[in-house]
Amino acid sequence: IVVEKLDVVADKDIAALAEKYRDVPIDVLLNNAAINAFRFGISRFGKIDYEWFEKILHVNIIGPLKVSEAFQANVMASKQKKIIAMTSTGGSIGDLKVPLNVGYRTSKAGLNMAMANYAIHLKSKDVIVGIIGPGTVDTEDYMNAADPATVPRNYQMMMKAGRLAPRTAINDMIELIDRMTIEDSGVFYRWDGEVLPW
């Protein structure tokens, strides 16, 4: 497993990383880039920070697609041939019930569409494009805080609503990615393998 840090909206950085791995087969290219407006900028109707909205769209949609195309040949040269996009259950239009976080949710719905299109494009090449929502994950490890009072209020509410421990989400996603076949390409999955509505 190789982890690379990359500015996914910097074309020069993408090109440099692609050159670094030229002719190296990549079994699973996992795109994990996102800005969540929940933490950066205002994303409520009437107070939308449109400068942040544009940045979110560039990072969350265009960046992963550019990276995927830059490494397409590497993936095609591998055994597993998998490109995985980390999306969000918040990108489901069918599940939308509360008008919150419009920038982030719009970007993830856009990523889903971009990757579903890309899946169709690559199907004849036997490349699997996975679209996976990892769920709400406690990436700050607040679950193990020595003093629960130090956990920010919005995170306390999320944890009560069923935030996942990182290990749970990661293990489930690894199992899902391992069993993906070409029939799963372009399908919108939750981390546990449940198919989500578009």
Side-chain angles (χ1 to χ4, degrees):
I1 296 172
V2 177
V3 178
E4 291 285 356
K5 188 175 181 180
L6 174 69
D7 182 347
V8 298
V9 294
D11 291 347
K12 286 193 304 183
D13 291 0
I14 295 171
L17 192 61
E19 179 61 27
K20 177 180 176 182
Y21 288 100
R22 185 203 292 228
D23 300 326
V24 175
I26 297 175
D27 279 317
V28 179
L29 177 69
L30 179 63
N31 279 302
N32 186 24
I35 295 174
N36 188 338
F38 175 72
R39 295 177 65 185
F40 303 100
I42 297 171
S43 192
R44 293 188 308 273
F45 290 105
K47 297 184 177 181
I48 294 171
D49 182 336
Y50 282 100
E51 188 176 334
W52 265 109
F53 201 152
E54 284 185 32
K55 187 167 179 101
I56 289 165
L57 295 177
H58 276 97
V59 171
N60 295 10
I61 304 172
I62 296 169
L65 188 57
K66 280 186 175 183
V67 170
S68 297
E69 288 198 295
F71 289 93
Q72 179 179 311
N74 303 76
V75 174
M76 287 174 61
S78 74
K79 291 179 182 175
Q80 293 191 47
K81 296 182 172 57
K82 293 174 181 175
I83 296 173
I84 308 297
M86 299 303 291
T87 185
S88 171
T89 54
S92 168
I93 295 171
D95 271 353
L96 181 62
K97 293 174 182 67
V98 181
L100 294 174
N101 211 352
V102 64
Y104 179 72
R105 287 173 136 180
T106 299
S107 73
K108 290 303 186 174
L111 175 65
N112 293 350
M113 177 57 82
M115 289 300 171
N117 269 278
Y118 197 37
I120 294 169
H121 172 70
L122 291 178
K123 199 162 193 175
S124 64
K125 298 175 174 61
D126 293 322
V127 174
I128 299 161
V129 178
I131 305 168
I132 302 175
T136 305
V137 181
D138 180 23
T139 55
E140 303 293 336
D141 200 28
Y142 286 129
M143 290 178 184
N144 294 313
D147 180 2
T150 63
V151 176
R153 183 178 163 83
N154 54 345
Y155 283 94
Q156 289 178 22
M157 294 184 328
M158 283 188 186
M159 286 161 58
K160 287 178 186 172
R163 269 178 93 92
L164 296 171
R167 182 57 50 201
T168 300
I170 291 166
N171 285 345
D172 286 351
M173 284 188 291
I174 288 172
E175 288 179 15
L176 175 59
I177 292 166
D178 280 350
R179 67 175 182 265
M180 278 185 165
T181 67
I182 198 68
E183 284 73 34
D184 300 299
S185 193
V187 177
F188 181 14
Y189 281 108
R190 201 167 75 158
W191 76 92
D192 58 3
E194 179 185 330
V195 176
L196 293 165
W198 294 108

